Amino acid sequence: MRSLINILDLSVEEIDGLLNVADDIIANPVKYSEVCRGKKLATLFFEPSTRTRLSFEAAMYELGGHVLGFSDAGSSSATKGESVADTTKMVNCYADIIAMRHPKEGAPLVASMHSKIPVINAGDGGHNHPTQTLTDLLTIRRKKGKLSGFTIGFCGDLKFGRTVHSLIQALSRYENIKIVLISPDELKLPSYVKKDVLQKNGIEYIQTTDLESVLPELDVLYMTRVQKERFLSEEEYIRLRDSYILTREKLVKNAKNDLAILHPLPRVNEISVDVDDDPRACYFEQALNGKFVRMALIMKLLGLKAD
Ligand code: NCD
């Protein structure tokens, strides 16, 4: 039994294999429609979600399986004081695989230690979000044809943005990636990610507060939402939330023609809606890719294949 808690739980070969299966699912969906017949996915979401939970559910349905779970901690026994360990042991009686989102860093890891069935981390606090990373990698590979030799800018809330932390970890294992970190001083990438990931792996990176000056160098731009729910002060959030707003005008003036703009979504103000029709905007396609890559992951963790 295997779980996916951190993106580094998967080798580069395994990630490439998952992306290949996702590509095949996109090309031949019918081949996969019965693979999970009789299997059940439990979605345990202690924190709000639209895309991640619905794409997990859609993924399991499209594999011919079933889904049970909750989308709100308030409707679970967590409100009665049940521990993550006990909830996990219960769910082991009812499902074959778990996808868990939790506001506390490390909660899915704890769950995996008390589970006989695979646990997938669907986002733990400001820490990690490995299935979003698989989504991001699939989107970049389908747009650029490769996962090496490009410059990627991460813009916005690099401090609390768990999708950023996981994607940087994943990219640190590919060749010739340059990273541009764009954030206000208050929302810089945590120093543990800088030291343990970027510096340890000799990744070339720069930090800046100015998006427009670096935009012309970027092949991929990963925009993020300022993570309101992780701020201790509302005032601080309000001061920082509109630090960056990508507009069509800035793109036309400064960006490469083949730039790929990603965003894990939800978006608030950081990408103006007039960018949505630009061929460089990939974020809605990225959300769709999330379903295919989660189908591939569920199959892998359950040890199931299409043929
Ligand atoms: C992200 C998350 O939950 O971390 N959303 C998602 O899963 N697609 C990003 C965010 O909430 O800003």
Side-chain angles (χ1 to χ4, degrees), residues 140 144 146-155 158 167-182 189 197-198 201-208 214-222 256 259-260:
I140 296 171
K144 298 276 166 204
K146 58 181 184 175
L147 285 173
S148 57
F150 58 82
T151 300
I152 177 167
F154 288 91
C155 179
L158 311 188
L167 182 54
I168 288 180
Q169 279 184 311
L171 289 174
S172 71
R173 299 189 297 185
Y174 290 90
E175 296 291 307
N176 196 17
I177 301 284
K178 290 192 189 126
I179 293 183
V180 181
L181 303 169
I182 309 144
L189 192 71
V197 184
L198 294 177
N201 293 294
I203 312 289
E204 203 178 305
Y205 74 96
I206 58 161
Q207 292 192 98
T208 174
V214 292
L215 198 48
E217 296 162 34
L218 305 180
D219 303 301
V220 180
L221 171 59
Y222 196 92
K256 285 187 183 171
L259 172 71

Side-chain angles (χ1 to χ4, degrees), residues 47-49 51-52 101 122-123 125 128-129 132 160-163 222 224-227 229-230 263-267 270 294:
E47 215 188 35
S49 170
R51 268 148 301 274
T52 305
R101 168 169 288 192
N128 281 321
H129 195 345
Q132 180 65 45
F160 297 116
R162 55 193 173 195
T163 63
Y222 196 92
T224 62
R225 171 180 73 91
V226 176
Q227 306 276 299
E229 64 277 31
R230 317 250 179 256
H263 190 311
L265 303 178
R267 140 181 72 186
E270 59 279 359
R294 289 180 175 103

Side-chain angles (χ1 to χ4, degrees), residues 36 38-45 52-61 65-69 91 94-100 117-118 120 294 298 302:
C36 283
K39 299 287 181 197
K40 283 171 279 177
L41 165 74
T43 51
L44 312 184
F45 277 63
T52 305
R53 186 173 60 83
L54 295 186
S55 67
F56 263 115
E57 297 193 356
M60 195 54 166
Y61 286 125
H66 303 280
V67 179
L68 63 164
V91 174
Y94 312 132
D96 301 286
I97 184 164
I98 293 173
M100 177 184 283
I117 61 175
I120 302 171
R294 289 180 175 103
I298 290 169
L302 289 176

Side-chain angles (χ1 to χ4, degrees), residues 120-285:
I120 302 171
N121 178 4
D124 62 329
H127 197 206
N128 281 321
H129 195 345
T131 64
Q132 180 65 45
T133 299
L134 293 172
T135 304
D136 303 338
L137 294 174
L138 180 64
T139 306
I140 296 171
R141 201 176 81 166
R142 287 178 71 82
K143 285 286 156 194
K144 298 276 166 204
K146 58 181 184 175
L147 285 173
S148 57
F150 58 82
T151 300
I152 177 167
F154 288 91
C155 179
D157 187 346
L158 311 188
K159 178 177 179 188
F160 297 116
R162 55 193 173 195
T163 63
V164 172
H165 307 157
S166 287
L167 182 54
I168 288 180
Q169 279 184 311
L171 289 174
S172 71
R173 299 189 297 185
Y174 290 90
E175 296 291 307
N176 196 17
I177 301 284
K178 290 192 189 126
I179 293 183
V180 181
L181 303 169
I182 309 144
S183 75
D185 283 335
E186 294 85 345
L187 298 178
K188 277 189 182 154
L189 192 71
S191 56
Y192 82 89
V193 185
K194 258 181 262 166
K195 277 199 206 106
D196 299 348
V197 184
L198 294 177
Q199 289 162 12
K200 195 166 149 200
N201 293 294
I203 312 289
E204 203 178 305
Y205 74 96
I206 58 161
Q207 292 192 98
T208 174
T209 53
D210 182 16
L211 171 61
E212 270 148 277
S213 67
V214 292
L215 198 48
E217 296 162 34
L218 305 180
D219 303 301
V220 180
L221 171 59
Y222 196 92
M223 292 296 292
T224 62
R225 171 180 73 91
V226 176
Q227 306 276 299
K228 179 178 184 201
E229 64 277 31
R230 317 250 179 256
F231 278 75
L232 295 176
S233 130
E234 167 104 17
E235 235 168 64
E236 172 97 330
Y237 166 69
I238 291 169
R239 191 167 60 77
L240 294 171
R241 68 179 171 193
D242 293 329
S243 299
Y244 302 100
I245 300 177
L246 185 67
T247 59
R248 184 189 283 266
E249 196 195 332
K250 286 181 197 166
L251 273 183
V252 169
K253 229 173 29 192
N254 295 312
K256 285 187 183 171
N257 286 333
D258 63 349
L259 172 71
I261 306 163
L262 275 70
H263 190 311
L265 303 178
R267 140 181 72 186
V268 186
N269 286 329
E270 59 279 359
I271 302 182
S272 106
V273 287
D274 67 6
V275 174
D276 295 357
D277 296 331
D278 191 292
R280 291 169 283 194
C282 304
Y283 29 93
F284 291 114
E285 192 181 326

Side-chain angles (χ1 to χ4, degrees), residues 10-20 173-174 300:
L10 296 167
S11 68
V12 172
E13 292 70 30
E14 284 178 310
I15 289 181
D16 291 344
L18 282 170
L19 304 188
N20 292 343
R173 299 189 297 185
Y174 290 90
K300 180 179 175 65

